Amino acid sequence: MTVALPKATGAGHTVIVGVSFWPLDLTSVTDNSGDAFTRGIPTSIYHNVSQGVMYTNFYYAKSTAGGATTITLNFSRGGTYVVAAVSEVAGLDPTAPLDRSAYNESLSPASPWSSAALTTATANEYLFAWAADEWTNPSCSNATSGWTETQNTSGATLCLLDRAVSTAGSYQVSVTPSTAFNYAMEMVEFKGAALAPAPAPLAISTTTLPAGTLGTAYSATLAAAGGVPPYAWSASGLPSGLSMSSAGTISGTPTTSGTFAASINVLDSTNAKVSQNDSVSILSAPAPPIVASSITVIQRTTLNQQPSSSGTVTLTLPKATGAGHALIVGVSFWPLDLTGVSDSSGDAFTRGITTSLYHNVSQGVMYTNFYYAKSTAGGATTITLNFSRGSTYVVAAVSEVAGLDPTAPLDQSGYNESLTSASPWSSAALATATANEYLFAWAADEWTNPSCSNATSGWTEMQNTSGATLCVLDRAVTTTGSYQVSVTPSAAFNYAMEIVAFKGASSVPTPVPPPAPAPLLISTTTLPAGTAGKAYSATLAATGGASPYTWSASSLPVGLSMSSAGTISGMPTTAGTEMALLAVRDSTGATASSSLSLIIGSSLLPSRPSTTFSLLHFGNAGFGGDDTNVFQTALNYTAANGEALEIPAGSYNISPISFPNNSYLIVDGNVTVTANSGYGTSARMLNVNAQNVTIIGAGATASVFHMRKAEYTSGEWRHCLDIENASNVTVSGISCNDSGGDGAYVRASTNVTIEDSIFNNNRRQGSSITGQVNHVYYLRDHFTNTNGTAPQSGIDIEPNAPGDFLLDVNIDDCYTDGNAGDGLMVSTWLMNSTSQPISVTVLRNHSTGNQRYGYFANNNDPSNAPGTILIQDSFSDQSGSAGAAGRFFAANGASLTFQNLTVTNPHVNGPDPSYGDSAAVNVIRGGGGTVPLGNVHFLNINIAVTNGKVNRYFNFQDGSGVGITNVQFVPGTLSGATQVPPNGLMQGQGYNSIP
């Protein structure tokens, strides 16, 4: 059978053929341009419709050659009854357009005729449906709104209905026959072609230009991010003698001194352009350098406290300080920040590093920082370290030095670390800025306490191994250069070492030769984040040395590479964080290197709409007033029109706002949104009670929502992010902090993803998941420092009633640290045997410094929900009580499994206050139980204890006297418990393992 088309087909289109027929099968479809047609359903569908038995199937050509004028349907032989619908469509996926298909039928007379309901997999799809009646031929009318109807009633009835949709969802179509009769209706979904992701906005990432010197060669390479490479650079207003290459390098020999306002421009390959004004200072030829006076170390001392009993730690000096000296204090500590240093003479101490350095050293996580007093009053006998609160592990090194610059002694600092066992321990290499300097370094190991020896020649060594290891090394130098120190521990282990250079005081000038070029340095300090499956580009910059530069890199994410010109580009294939090792070589062979983290986010983020409006399009905002109306108006408008809303950098103030269906919010970097004063006890800042809502930030530390926790002295429901009765919600790269309730509250919602976000210092929970949820994903989030009102946990999974199901709840690669309650708790005590099976999976979670349990679970008695709770490949470090606990966990409910759990130094606060238990992990309850305790499994458990507060590795104890059943303890590596063997107890009986 051949069908003539109204006109010739176009090239690159999709041709769809839907066919209803009887009694012989449709074997293939062809056209006169030779396009290949794919069969939609392997076995044609049989419809046993009384007085109108038929088969249905469909064929489609993915990307036509163009020029076809006929389509031929081939059957197994002649004598076939057939109706066919044909559609030619542009804009569909050229390689795999088919999404899915379904049918509906009525074996008795019916009106209207309705299709099956189909849910689209993507936002942009074409829907193609046809209804057929092979017995009578009623006409069709009243198609569902939004659908186009085409019919043919010559002999039998064929009603063709189609439409394009731009939002993912469930779709169904109906049509009314002029006479009710039996029918069969097919419906097929075809996916639209993927839209190329919009590149990030073009921006110049270099923010400052280095100063130059009159008559001395100058070189600085600028960097850009976003847009579409390659970039073309230009500049105006540069100092005389300098010019900029199209590759972004400013070079030459300046002939005039002064400060010049340069206009820097970059153009990408789409002709997008950004400009930036930078000042360039050209200094006069330097005067002869200053010869420093003698540098002398007056005294040194150390402190080792594991942990502190309060928020202040006082150190007594060997002797009173002298006047006019420098006093230097280097500190390594965990987990609370060092907020200030003072001494008994009232000297002012300057903080060396704005944000204390975090070293994620396995089994010895720590922060480091240093303080210094520039010119002491003299007579100080004590130094006090002030922390944000007590129970801090701290080692400190102190040096009093004479002969340093009394006004600006600090030159620079650097650090080195090893996340695995290493020997020797080495500092970073520092290049001194002046000839006469004092170098001060310290290495710390908060887990073991090996001794130190074999310091680099010329360095003085001092150590303190009372509790933890502190190795202090210092020296004075009289020649500019690059300096590095190492020391050998008695046993190889993880470590972090800091080094600081201080400049000597000046005295008599002495003529010297002209200065050498500035040291070669990589000036790019951060790399922009990327997204798996999307094009990435970032260009690095260097200063100093002698251009041109040649770049190289290793340990980049899979799919990325670096050009010799310093551009990292490609398409990353996998989400995660890599520590990229970057190197640059100048024309003299000098090299510099740097390690920068490169974050590749998930590719699962919803596609950005083609049109984006700035918040400021809808009114003035960000000027200190109430911005609620502008925010809500902008959200309502953009959501209703399928557009994105972008919040530009700035500070805003809002009362509660609500996200409509189809909201897409982009939060730029350097955005802070603060709750207005006066939130009621149940007011939520961000209300997501809708479908298809996306909130995407520029990174959790750069896109910040926060409330006014100090005002909320009562209540627990002022949540920062509230997701209820919602579906298809994605939140990525924001912070939601300082709430009067939860950072994120999730209930009665499906398909919720929260990734790469921070929820810090909230009053009740970092996050609550309270049931009626399905497909919930927490990915790479931080839930930290919850305090205010119980339970005060990082994450609390706690349904409110038996009908509150927990289906497919996933927590991957998250951190639950520093909370006043548990790190992560699963509390199903309000569910029972009528509840749906629980499915909760926690992978690679880090739970550190929580005041109660690292992981806690309980359930109901006597009736429980079935299912599984799995916590795998996770960590519990320095919990106040046990590292993991099944407490009042009855054996007749869901299984609780800890697989490959690592527990380090639990019971920081001593024995469990409820049971007096000091085991690292436990299954335990007091009186009142009516069914056996159990169905808890500890498999391949690694426990390391150095704090002396753990007596056994496990304790399974039923204080109700009913009994324990179905429990396991399979040990991995165990060390440090005080009353072993045996490794643990079950009902007071000793066991090394319970297989």
Side-chain angles (χ1 to χ4, degrees), residues 90 560 658 669:
L560 297 185
S658 296

Side-chain angles (χ1 to χ4, degrees), residues 33 60 63 69 91 115 142 234 299 307 315 476 487 498 528 534 540 551 644 762 791 834 848 857 866 877 920 926 982:
S33 286
Y60 59 96
S63 182
T69 57
S115 74
N142 299 323
S234 61
Q299 60 176 327
L315 176 152
V487 68
E498 315 299 315
K534 294 186 178 180
L540 282 84
W551 293 83
N762 292 289
T834 68
T848 301
D877 185 20

Side-chain angles (χ1 to χ4, degrees), residues 141-169:
S141 62
N142 299 323
T144 300
S145 177
W147 291 74
T148 299
E149 172 192 319
T150 305
Q151 61 181 297
N152 186 328
T153 58
S154 177
T157 291
L158 171 69
C159 302
L160 166 63
L161 304 119
D162 63 351
R163 69 171 297 183
V165 297
S166 58
T167 304

Side-chain angles (χ1 to χ4, degrees), residues 3-78:
V3 179
L5 297 173
K7 62 180 179 180
T9 59
H13 296 173
T14 301
V15 174
I16 303 162
V17 183
V19 191
S20 298
F21 50 91
W22 174 261
L24 302 172
D25 196 20
L26 176 63
T27 57
S28 65
V29 173
T30 59
D31 67 15
N32 61 338
S33 286
D35 293 311
F37 282 79
T38 300
R39 185 178 176 98
I41 306 168
T43 302
S44 297
I45 298 171
Y46 173 67
H47 303 283
N48 189 22
V49 181
S50 176
Q51 296 183 319
V53 173
M54 70 181 82
Y55 290 95
T56 55
N57 210 328
F58 63 95
Y59 281 74
Y60 59 96
K62 300 176 185 177
S63 182
T64 54
T69 57
T70 60
I71 292 177
T72 300
L73 313 181
N74 302 294
F75 295 91
S76 51
R77 66 173 186 268

Side-chain angles (χ1 to χ4, degrees), residues 728-752:
N728 302 326
V729 177
T730 300
V731 178
S732 178
I734 68 166
S735 288
C736 231
N737 305 330
D738 310 315
S739 75
D742 300 343
Y745 180 88
V746 179
R747 175 173 176 78
S749 297
T750 186
N751 294 328
V752 175

Side-chain angles (χ1 to χ4, degrees), residues 551-803:
W551 293 83
S552 60
S554 61
S555 299
L556 291 172
V558 176
L560 297 185
S561 60
M562 173 179 268
S563 72
S564 61
T567 296
I568 299 172
S569 62
M571 184 176 291
T573 60
T574 306
T577 300
E578 296 288 346
M579 187 60 67
L581 305 178
L582 312 171
V584 62
R585 180 185 298 273
D586 73 1
S587 60
T588 71
T591 61
S593 61
S594 176
S595 296
L596 299 178
S597 63
L598 206 172
I599 299 172
I600 302 300
S602 168
S603 60
L604 302 179
L605 294 177
S607 298
R608 179 171 175 169
S610 58
T611 302
T612 300
F613 279 100
S614 169
L615 174 71
L616 303 184
H617 176 83
F618 300 90
N620 290 329
F623 295 97
D626 184 354
D627 302 315
T628 309
N629 185 58
V630 179
F631 268 72
Q632 194 64 64
T633 299
L635 278 171
N636 292 345
Y637 179 88
T638 53
N641 292 279
E643 297 156 344
L645 173 63
E646 183 171 7
I647 311 300
S651 297
Y652 306 92
N653 303 293
I654 62 170
S655 296
I657 60 173
S658 296
F659 288 77
N661 291 343
N662 306 315
S663 295
Y664 199 108
L665 181 66
I666 301 161
V667 187
D668 287 350
N670 298 317
V671 167
T672 301
V673 182
T674 303
N676 286 323
S677 294
Y679 274 51
T681 55
S682 296
R684 280 81 158 167
M685 187 178 189
L686 306 177
N687 293 270
V688 180
N689 312 119
Q691 286 70 53
N692 307 319
V693 174
T694 301
I695 303 172
I696 299 178
T701 60
S703 302
V704 178
F705 295 85
H706 77 94
M707 300 180 70
R708 299 177 179 270
K709 181 181 176 183
E711 296 181 5
Y712 314 138
T713 57
S714 63
E716 58 184 87
W717 295 99
R718 296 178 180 91
H719 306 319
C720 185
L721 173 62
D722 182 87
I723 302 173
E724 295 189 67
N725 302 305
S727 64
N728 302 326
V729 177
T730 300
V731 178
S732 178
I734 68 166
S735 288
C736 231
N737 305 330
D738 310 315
S739 75
D742 300 343
Y745 180 88
V746 179
R747 175 173 176 78
S749 297
T750 186
N751 294 328
V752 175
T753 297
I754 301 177
E755 65 177 22
D756 301 312
S757 295
I758 293 175
F759 302 89
N760 182 62
N761 192 37
N762 292 289
R763 176 173 167 82
R764 186 182 72 164
Q765 316 279 25
S767 178
S768 292
I769 301 173
T770 64
Q772 297 184 35
V773 296
N774 190 6
H775 307 314
V776 174
Y777 299 90
Y778 284 6
L779 308 175
R780 303 176 299 279
D781 300 312
H782 291 247
F783 303 90
T784 55
N785 301 314
T786 308
N787 67 92
T789 189
Q792 306 177 103
S793 296
I795 300 174
D796 179 8
I797 304 173
E798 186 172 356
N800 295 330

